[in-house]
Amino acid sequence: MTDASTEPTEPTAPTTPATASTTPAARTKAKVGLRIMHRRYVPYGHAHYAGNLVDGAYSLAAFGDVATEMCIVTDGDEGLFASYSDVQFRSRITAGDVIEISAEIIRVGTRSREMDFEVRVVGRGNQERGASAAEMLDPPIVATTARGVVVVP
């Protein structure tokens, strides 16, 4: 009789969680219509032009921030921006504004997520009422729109 501990054994394949063998598309929570929104105050230190105007790149940076959150929520990764298309600067953004930035998924690929972006001014300083006076806007002003594509691993 042989001792089981001395007999050669065949190697076994390492075990992996069930999700490790699924494709990225199967693991994603990305769905068309999913929307993420941020709100932020635009500080006076961000003004670049006369009249406390903020440059257009401010909106694009905000789009990047909301797209990053979208990728984290849907895919557990920060993702990378691949492209912007149809960027439109429709109204000014000034220091002292409160802006709302949204991203909505409009197409889900295997590794890509196409999104519509929008910046709305929802609050604005009102210097006529006083140096620190401000008011919320109803309706908000659409300042910037764009379409963009991000990729995730």
Side-chain angles (χ1 to χ4, degrees):
M1 180 170 209
T2 60
D3 183 4
S5 64
T6 60
E7 289 197 20
T9 59
E10 294 202 21
T12 58
T15 59
T16 57
T19 57
S21 63
T22 60
T23 64
R27 289 191 307 243
T28 186
K29 296 176 186 170
K31 305 270 187 273
V32 171
L34 182 61
R35 188 177 176 98
I36 298 284
M37 191 175 313
H38 289 186
R39 268 196 181 189
R40 70 177 65 156
Y41 174 78
V42 180
Y44 281 84
H46 289 226
H48 286 271
Y49 302 104
N52 291 320
L53 186 65
V54 175
D55 62 14
Y58 192 85
S59 291
L60 298 181
F63 291 156
D65 291 344
V66 76
T68 297
E69 182 181 348
M70 179 72 81
C71 291
I72 292 168
V73 166
T74 59
D75 296 282
D77 189 273
E78 292 180 349
L80 294 172
F81 232 110
S83 67
Y84 281 113
S85 63
D86 196 28
V87 177
Q88 295 188 20
F89 301 102
R90 298 170 178 252
S91 185
R92 65 190 171 99
I93 298 174
T94 57
D97 284 351
V98 177
I99 59 173
E100 186 174 81
I101 310 101
S102 65
E104 182 174 344
I105 295 178
I106 60 167
R107 185 185 60 77
V108 177
T110 304
R111 292 185 49 230
S112 65
R113 315 288 177 250
E114 188 171 1
M115 297 178 219
D116 277 341
F117 297 95
E118 188 173 75
V119 171
R120 289 174 297 282
V121 178
V122 297
R124 178 159 277 165
N126 185 345
Q127 301 265 329
E128 293 173 4
R129 287 193 7 231
S132 62
E135 59 197 15
M136 298 309 286
L137 303 179
D138 187 20
I141 299 167
V142 175
T144 313
T145 60
R147 181 161 288 175
V149 176
V150 298
V151 293
V152 294

